[in-house]
Amino acid sequence: AKYPQPCLVPLVQRGARLDVGGGCHLGRREAFLKQASHMKKTAAWPLAAIYAALIIYASLYPFQNWRSQGVDWTAFVWAPWPRYWTGFDILSNVLGYAPLGFIVALALQRSARHLPAVGLTLALGSALSLGMESLQLFLPARVPSNVDWGLNSAGTLAGAGAAWTLERFGFLDRWSRFRANWFAPDAQGSLVLLALWPIALLFPVPIPMGLGQVLERAEDALALLLQETPWLDWLPVREVELQPLLPAYEIVCVSLGQLLPCLLAFSLIRHLHQKAVAWFVLTACGLLFTALSAALTYGPSHAWGWLNEPVQLALVLAAVAAWPMMWRQEKTLQVFALVGLVLQLTLLNNASANAYFSMTLQNWEQGQFIRFHGLIQWLGWLWPFALLVYLMRCLSAARPTKMQA
């Protein structure tokens, strides 16, 4: 009796159905693996998860005084429309959920084309909004509203509709070809970090582009949390108070703040001219979003007040250091980025913020920027540490051996 021959055809080979020897049918398995590959490699899913987490944070902030108020959780659903509302409330509720709808619909269209992307995205966004409004019943500082629920759902639908329109006119396929021509196959993690970096710059920081200065604030928060507990005495006490950075160290931190995203981009981009374009785009984003943060914090007339001579020198040094790096290999760039990131975080977290900046930050957290606070505060704090984890993971990944190849 003849035994069926083992299938030696690669699973990723194109073709709907292949027969080898006694019959090796790879159509369904190949389709499944191809779909799973797309599901894994698209950067839209991690972006959607991050954005949903930010919505949850913004919806439930300030997370204090949770208690049951004895109100039926469905009461706000059937409540009449409020008499007083503003255009800003409508716009913020619609625009707050529109990116979520766009990203989720984009992810579904790229990884699960057989599912109704717009309808499923609308259901998910509406359910998330309903859950957040229901939980606000337990927060005395928040007021649930059926209008907010409806506007959030409308924003989700608008974002999903935009993604569906782009897909129908072929823009998503063009992006897929663009990504294949520009970036390495496993670039989704780097792309997510690069997409979040300009948004993280919107949060005001003592040093321009100096994200991740959290140690002093974390110590104060921990001391407040442990107040009136026996564990408060266990906290280490500083012998010397933190001092502001010296001007030379400020220049180093600003240079590294602009250089690090460039190194990350260079590590995943294929060709030299593409790296030059990426350097220009990232430099422009760094300048514009830092200026926007200053305009939102201090007023439009002070948008470029941070761009003094030391910062200009730091940006020139970042540009001078970036151009030779375009010829380096991926692992070398990741090593340089890791070393620079550790140096920047060390300098920033061994320095204190001045009193004027603390007042500015209080203005963000308690004043007119309360909605911005919930969405970008954590990005500004945690983006460098997410980059740190990502770089360590990339450098610790085992290279394929000849047997594996």
Side-chain angles (χ1 to χ4, degrees):
K2 293 184 177 181
Y3 295 97
Q5 297 294 323
C7 177
L8 301 178
V9 182
L11 294 180
V12 295
Q13 182 174 335
R14 294 183 179 272
R17 207 172 184 84
L18 299 173
D19 295 335
V20 178
C24 177
H25 305 293
L26 300 180
R28 294 182 179 178
R29 181 181 294 182
E30 180 184 344
F32 173 78
L33 291 176
K34 187 175 181 180
Q35 177 180 336
S37 175
H38 281 297
M39 190 106 175
K40 179 180 179 182
K41 291 184 178 181
T42 178
W45 284 118
L47 280 175
I50 293 172
Y51 197 85
L54 293 175
I55 286 179
I56 293 172
Y57 181 87
S59 300
L60 302 182
Y61 182 83
F63 299 97
Q64 295 177 355
N65 302 323
W66 288 80
R67 64 175 180 266
S68 176
Q69 304 184 65
V71 180
D72 183 9
W73 75 273
T74 61
F76 76 92
V77 177
W78 313 110
W81 281 59
R83 295 182 179 181
Y84 305 101
W85 48 270
T86 64
F88 179 80
D89 291 334
I90 295 177
L91 189 63
S92 61
N93 279 288
V94 172
L95 295 182
Y97 272 72
L100 178 68
F102 181 86
I103 298 171
V104 173
L106 177 64
L108 288 172
Q109 289 179 111
R110 291 177 62 86
S111 60
R113 293 180 178 270
H114 61 285
L115 297 177
V118 176
L120 185 57
T121 301
L122 176 60
L124 292 174
S126 182
L128 176 62
S129 177
L130 178 61
M132 295 300 100
E133 297 296 328
S134 300
L135 287 175
Q136 287 179 3
L137 285 169
F138 300 94
L139 290 170
R142 305 303 296 263
V143 179
S145 170
N146 53 1
V147 176
D148 291 349
W149 178 32
L151 293 175
N152 294 157
S153 301
T156 304
L157 180 61
W164 179 85
T165 302
L166 292 177
E167 169 68 18
R168 187 166 183 85
F169 285 95
F171 287 100
L172 298 185
D173 289 336
R174 295 175 186 175
W175 160 251
S176 297
R177 292 194 294 270
F178 172 83
R179 174 175 171 174
N181 291 331
W182 277 62
F183 306 116
D186 297 326
Q188 64 274 12
S190 299
L191 291 175
V192 170
L193 289 170
L194 290 173
L196 294 176
W197 177 66
I199 304 175
L201 290 177
L202 290 177
F203 189 69
V205 290
I207 306 299
M209 303 183 189
L211 302 176
Q213 188 174 1
V214 298
L215 181 59
E216 186 178 20
R217 191 176 178 89
E219 288 178 343
D220 294 340
L222 185 59
L224 182 62
L225 180 65
L226 298 180
Q227 194 172 9
E228 299 180 357
T229 66
W231 295 284
L232 182 61
D233 296 333
W234 294 5
L235 287 180
V237 179
R238 293 183 179 275
E239 297 181 359
V240 180
E241 290 294 329
L242 295 176
Q243 300 297 323
L245 278 177
L246 296 176
Y249 292 156
E250 288 188 12
I251 293 175
V252 173
C253 289
V254 175
S255 296
L256 291 174
Q258 179 60 57
L259 181 62
L260 288 172
C262 296
L263 296 180
L264 181 63
F266 296 164
S267 68
L268 59 96
I269 295 178
R270 297 179 181 275
H271 303 296
L272 181 62
H273 70 280
Q274 296 170 343
K275 294 180 180 181
V277 173
W279 170 84
F280 177 80
V281 171
L282 290 172
T283 301
C285 286
L287 293 172
L288 293 177
F289 278 84
T290 304
L292 179 58
S293 175
L296 293 173
T297 305
Y298 307 110
S301 60
H302 300 282
W304 299 100
W306 58 276
L307 195 59
N308 50 34
E309 292 185 0
V311 173
Q312 295 176 20
L313 175 60
L315 295 177
V316 171
L317 293 177
V320 172
W323 281 91
M325 292 296 172
M326 295 182 187
W327 282 267
R328 300 295 181 180
Q329 299 297 321
E330 176 186 1
K331 291 297 181 182
T332 304
L333 290 168
Q334 291 172 353
V335 170
F336 276 111
L338 182 60
V339 173
L341 179 60
V342 171
L343 175 60
Q344 185 195 38
L345 290 176
T346 301
L347 292 175
L348 289 174
N349 286 286
N350 280 281
S352 65
N354 56 47
Y356 183 67
F357 173 76
S358 300
M359 295 175 60
T360 300
L361 196 61
Q362 188 177 10
N363 181 37
W364 263 74
E365 295 178 351
Q366 299 180 1
Q368 57 183 325
F369 300 110
I370 184 66
R371 293 176 175 83
F372 271 139
H373 170 266
L375 291 177
I376 67 173
Q377 173 185 243
W378 287 100
L379 284 178
W381 285 348
L382 299 182
W383 186 89
F385 299 98
L387 177 60
L388 179 67
V389 173
Y390 177 77
L391 291 173
M392 293 178 63
R393 182 180 177 183
C394 291
L395 292 173
S396 63
R399 294 185 177 182
T401 62
K402 292 183 179 180
M403 292 295 294
Q404 291 174 333

